[in-house]
Amino acid sequence: MSTAATGDPQEQQQRISAALDGFCIEVPSWGFANTGTRFGKFVQAAAATTIAEKFADAGEVNRLTGGCPTVALHVLWDMPNGTGDVETIRTLEAAHGVKAGSINPNLFQSQEYKFGSIANPDAGVRKAALDHLLESVEIGKALRSRDVSLWIADGSNYPGTQSIRRRIEWMEEMLKATHDAMDDSQRMLVEYKPFEPAFYHTDIADWGMALHLARVAGPRAAVLVDTGHHYPGTNIEQIVAWLLHTGSLGGFHFNDRKYADDDLTLGSIDPYQVFRIFHEIVSAPGDTVNNIAYMIDQSHNLKGKMEAMVQSVVTAQELFARAALVDQEALRTLQDECRLVEAEELFRDCFWTDVRPMVREWREEKGLPVDPLQELRASGYVERIGRERGARNQSSGGSYA
Ligand code: AFD
Ligand code: MN
Ligand code: MN
């Protein structure tokens, strides 16, 4: 019965190289832009402001890591002209070697969404929100992007001020209409979040609500798990197991948290949790791994945007590699025979295995920089874009789009 740490090094290398060959994680355009907290924004000279700069930065992260060939777009921030911007995006894809990834509508910034978007009691506001969702679906079609990824910030701040049940009915109607506008190549990902910006009830607050709405919307809707969107102590890998079991896991927004939706770099607080999530996936049957959208959702106020993104991608690759080391057959036998400590030791062995030399080997095989963060620093890329963008960023105080 092999455990990873004492496993044959050649077999370990093969497992890791095969796993990383098939593992891609999407970077968010907004992760390169100046954003902040509700208490303020610390402007970074090198931050991206234009969609061209966001594609350049995403292309550089992919050149360094070999793991992120797509960049998530936020409609309005990145595509103020909607489908009119598709040609621009095409040109940027070719220039920087990364493709447009998920399309993320923005239903949380316009003033009209003060009391909600698709769950707003005003039918006119719901219609405006639906129009934006339908436009996002059309942008996805034009860009041949698979996923329309919805984060609905709707909710209320005080008991008794809104009908939770009527808001469910409105959301069901809006999401079904959006789903019906998609073509067969598209998917709708329904994200959930327990609180913030709403502080009494959030209309899509947990995975059960998201799963219900995905089912009502239609067969090409699934749930998006943002690892920062859970109360402390939540067993996220158990949620992932249930969503895998029900065929409803659309994808992830990866980040890390100590308290709430902190959007810290992936694995910076609890790497073991990410390893356990990845283990649920790599141990799932069939081509489950291929149908899941792995995405990063972060936008750092303190760390440098580029360094933080490279950190998150590299950490995701390393933790996925560790999960790939688990001998599933051996573990299943130990589990079925309730040989608890042996099962746990096999599991932990893989988590504690320093895979960095084997990941380095994979990078060399691929002709990639063996140390992406070091290469970023040596390349002078951040200094260069800081010089090119600094004056504008300082003068504009940074901006979202
Ligand atoms: C914020 C929200 C949510 C959403 C993201 C991008 O909490 O995670 O997915 O913005 O719109 O982080
Ligand atoms: Mn998210
Ligand atoms: Mn979030």
Side-chain angles (χ1 to χ4, degrees):
M1 189 88 51
S2 77
T3 63
T6 54
D8 164 39
Q10 204 159 7
E11 192 233 339
Q12 286 184 329
Q13 183 67 56
Q14 280 163 3
R15 276 174 180 261
I16 285 177
S17 294
L20 292 180
D21 281 347
F23 180 75
C24 291
I25 189 164
E26 184 166 291
V27 294
S29 67
W30 55 96
F32 300 109
N34 272 315
T35 49
T37 69
R38 60 190 176 128
F39 303 106
K41 191 190 302 180
F42 295 108
V43 174
Q44 297 189 22
T49 298
T50 66
I51 187 63
E53 291 170 351
K54 292 169 188 174
F55 262 88
D57 292 355
E60 183 64 9
V61 174
N62 189 44
R63 183 186 73 80
L64 292 166
T65 63
C68 39
T70 59
V71 52
L73 301 181
H74 226 287
V75 180
L76 292 185
W77 293 346
D78 297 329
M79 301 184 74
N81 307 312
T83 46
D85 289 320
V86 165
E87 273 324 298
T88 305
I89 301 295
R90 284 261 172 274
T91 307
L92 294 172
E93 287 176 332
H96 300 291
V98 287
K99 288 276 188 202
S102 61
I103 303 299
N104 294 262
N106 186 320
L107 292 173
F108 51 86
Q109 262 185 311
S110 301
Q111 293 301 306
E112 64 192 332
Y113 298 139
K114 183 174 182 179
F115 301 114
S117 59
I118 62 171
N120 192 300
D122 179 331
V125 175
R126 294 199 300 272
K127 169 81 172 58
L130 177 58
D131 288 347
H132 181 59
L133 289 173
L134 296 176
E135 178 191 33
S136 299
V137 167
E138 292 314 308
I139 290 171
K141 280 177 192 162
L143 287 172
R144 289 190 295 282
S145 160
R146 179 182 65 179
D147 295 330
V148 179
S149 192
L150 311 184
W151 173 57
I152 305 297
D154 296 17
S156 68
N157 282 357
Y158 302 96
T161 59
Q162 284 291 301
S163 163
I164 294 174
R165 277 185 285 109
R166 280 195 293 147
R167 290 171 76 95
I168 295 169
E169 290 164 15
W170 294 327
M171 289 194 294
E172 289 174 339
E173 182 193 348
M174 295 296 109
L175 293 183
K176 185 167 180 2
T178 303
H179 180 283
D180 292 348
M182 296 194 303
D183 67 26
D184 290 348
S185 69
Q186 292 181 286
R187 298 189 315 173
M188 172 194 284
L189 304 183
V190 181
E191 187 171 358
Y192 60 90
K193 181 173 179 180
F195 77 102
E196 190 197 28
F199 290 106
Y200 165 63
H201 99 278
T202 293
D203 287 299
I204 311 177
D206 69 21
W207 71 277
M209 300 175 197
L211 179 56
H212 166 75
L213 288 169
R215 284 179 167 161
V216 168
R220 289 193 307 286
V223 176
L224 185 130
V225 177
D226 184 309
T227 51
H229 291 186
H230 300 85
Y231 290 120
T234 303
N235 186 328
I236 300 176
E237 63 270 25
Q238 184 179 10
I239 294 170
V240 171
W242 273 91
L243 291 173
L244 284 167
H245 180 73
T246 55
S248 316
L249 180 62
F252 293 90
H253 276 175
F254 280 110
N255 44 58
D256 214 337
R257 55 185 291 287
K258 179 68 183 164
Y259 303 103
D261 185 23
D262 313 332
D263 283 351
L264 300 175
T265 30
L266 189 157
S268 57
I269 303 292
D270 185 355
Y272 192 33
Q273 172 183 266
V274 182
F275 168 84
R276 300 195 304 267
I277 289 170
F278 281 149
H279 175 261
E280 283 307 319
I281 292 163
V282 299
S283 60
D287 67 350
T288 304
V289 176
N290 305 322
N291 298 327
I292 294 169
Y294 301 100
M295 301 184 269
I296 291 168
D297 182 2
Q298 69 181 48
S299 185
H300 292 283
N301 213 7
L302 303 184
K303 277 184 179 176
K305 305 284 176 180
M306 285 295 292
E307 283 185 292
M309 201 64 77
V310 170
Q311 276 188 308
S312 284
V313 174
V314 167
T315 305
Q317 290 173 318
E318 290 174 354
L319 290 169
F320 195 76
R322 292 190 198 184
L325 287 179
V326 178
D327 179 335
Q328 296 301 333
E329 208 180 308
L331 184 63
R332 179 190 286 258
T333 303
L334 295 172
Q335 288 172 338
D336 291 352
E337 294 171 11
C338 294
R339 293 157 61 183
L340 308 185
V341 173
E342 289 169 272
E344 185 192 17
E345 284 307 301
L346 187 156
F347 195 70
R348 278 163 33 100
D349 234 1
C350 299
F351 173 66
W352 288 111
T353 299
D354 183 359
V355 298
R356 288 174 296 184
M358 292 179 271
V359 175
R360 200 183 173 91
E361 166 92 14
W362 172 77
R363 294 190 194 285
E364 272 180 326
E365 284 165 13
K366 295 292 167 190
L368 294 164
V370 290
D371 182 336
L373 204 50
Q374 181 48 40
E375 172 73 10
L376 174 64
R377 291 199 178 118
S379 69
Y381 181 84
V382 175
E383 291 71 21
R384 176 170 63 77
I385 60 176
R387 287 192 297 275
E388 290 167 2
R389 306 172 185 176
R392 183 218 42 220
N393 276 329
Q394 297 308 344
S395 63
S396 68
S399 67
Y400 277 96

